[in-house]
Amino acid sequence: GENVEQHPSTLSVQEGDSAVIKCTYSDSASNYFPWYKQELGKRPQLIIDIRSNVGEKKDQRIAVTLNKTAKHFSLHITETQPEDSAVYFCAASKGGNSGYSTLTFGKGTMLLVSP
Amino acid sequence: DSGVTQTPKHLITATGQRVTLRCSPRSGDLSVYWYQQSLDQGLQFLIQYYNGEERAKGNILERFSAQQFPDLHSELNLSSLELGDSALYFCASSPLGEGRGELFFGEGSRLTVL
């Protein structure tokens, strides 16, 4: 089955800095890569996702890049703010002509943004 | 509010006991997923149901079972509980079960086994 590795496990930045979280996946047939944010004591919520037919997607301060050849994808947060502090999970799955699998999550990155 | 409802929010029980966690998906969603979240293991996929049928199975223990009812709500049954079963159990739903789409998570049920 799919295996998703996520790094780093913790990340501390100063407000205004950029943060980058990286993930690798094992199943070359995976074609859907979402990122979820989980604030302390809350449920995970989707913040951005990318499909394998594009290499980059951006939504305001958040961007995700995908390198299918290397089987890795990354989350980039610019101009970080204290409210960005949370645990971020990457995930991978496949659907459509590639077959089917449910989301496999990485173990999470705790991001702490200090004022 | 995701529209996914989980009950109970908190549950404390003893080893060897059995509990049932309940999930009501968002209106119109056909797929229900169960995930276990413990401190060092992230979100572990347990099982998925789609329109009443089991669709996918993850690392679900034989002591655990689930089902989805005709009204699409789902229940996760945990039996012969052990200390290591203490975790936050999330239910999520999605409109379909095609593998590429947003999951909407409930607030979770926190199980503590003493």
Side-chain angles (χ1 to χ4, degrees):
Chain A
E2 176 66 274
N3 183 49
V4 176
E5 300 282 340
Q6 182 172 349
H7 300 280
S9 56
T10 59
L11 179 59
S12 293
V13 300
Q14 293 290 318
E15 182 177 0
D17 289 348
S18 294
V20 180
I21 303 171
K22 299 182 179 181
C23 290
T24 60
Y25 60 99
S26 62
D27 187 350
S28 57
S30 288
N31 55 13
Y32 177 65
F33 308 93
W35 288 86
Y36 283 78
K37 175 183 180 182
Q38 186 178 22
E39 297 178 358
L40 188 63
K42 304 286 188 179
R43 59 188 171 89
Q45 290 184 269
L46 178 72
I47 55 171
I48 194 167
D49 58 11
I50 191 168
R51 302 194 177 200
S52 60
N53 57 345
V54 298
E56 183 173 357
K57 185 177 179 180
K58 190 173 181 179
D59 183 4
Q60 299 182 334
R61 298 186 297 108
I62 294 173
V64 57
T65 58
L66 171 65
N67 183 326
K68 287 172 54 180
T69 303
K71 290 190 286 188
H72 69 69
F73 56 113
S74 300
L75 177 71
H76 304 254
I77 306 175
T78 59
E79 301 172 19
T80 54
Q81 301 167 5
E83 52 264 38
D84 294 329
S85 296
V87 177
Y88 291 81
F89 292 96
C90 63
S93 66
K94 60 187 176 187
N97 294 333
S98 297
Y100 174 76
S101 73
T102 57
L103 285 175
T104 298
F105 285 87
K107 292 195 174 184
T109 296
M110 181 177 290
L111 174 64
L112 178 61
V113 181
S114 302
Chain B
D1 183 6
S2 67
V4 178
T5 303
Q6 288 188 248
T7 57
K9 286 186 171 45
H10 301 277
L11 191 55
I12 301 174
T13 188
T15 54
Q17 295 299 303
R18 172 190 172 94
V19 298
T20 297
L21 309 181
R22 181 188 169 100
C23 170
S24 293
R26 292 188 324 155
S27 176
D29 284 359
L30 298 178
S31 267
V32 170
Y33 310 75
W34 287 97
Y35 283 86
Q36 180 191 56
Q37 184 174 43
S38 51
L39 279 175
D40 60 347
Q41 292 297 320
L43 287 160
Q44 293 288 315
F45 169 66
L46 296 178
I47 198 164
Q48 177 201 357
Y49 281 83
Y50 175 73
N51 203 23
E53 299 291 327
E54 182 182 306
R55 178 77 167 91
K57 210 167 190 176
N59 299 320
I60 187 167
L61 299 172
E62 285 192 11
R63 299 183 286 108
F64 296 0
S65 64
Q67 55 184 325
Q68 186 180 30
F69 295 87
D71 67 352
L72 300 178
H73 90 271
S74 178
E75 293 181 356
L76 178 67
N77 301 295
L78 316 173
S79 62
S80 302
L81 286 168
E82 302 176 358
L83 296 178
D85 298 327
S86 296
L88 186 55
Y89 291 85
F90 281 107
C91 167
S93 74
S94 68
L96 301 174
E98 88 283 21
R100 295 177 295 176
E102 182 175 1
L103 297 190
F104 297 88
F105 284 83
E107 298 294 333
S109 292
R110 183 169 294 283
L111 173 66
T112 302
V113 182
L114 301 177

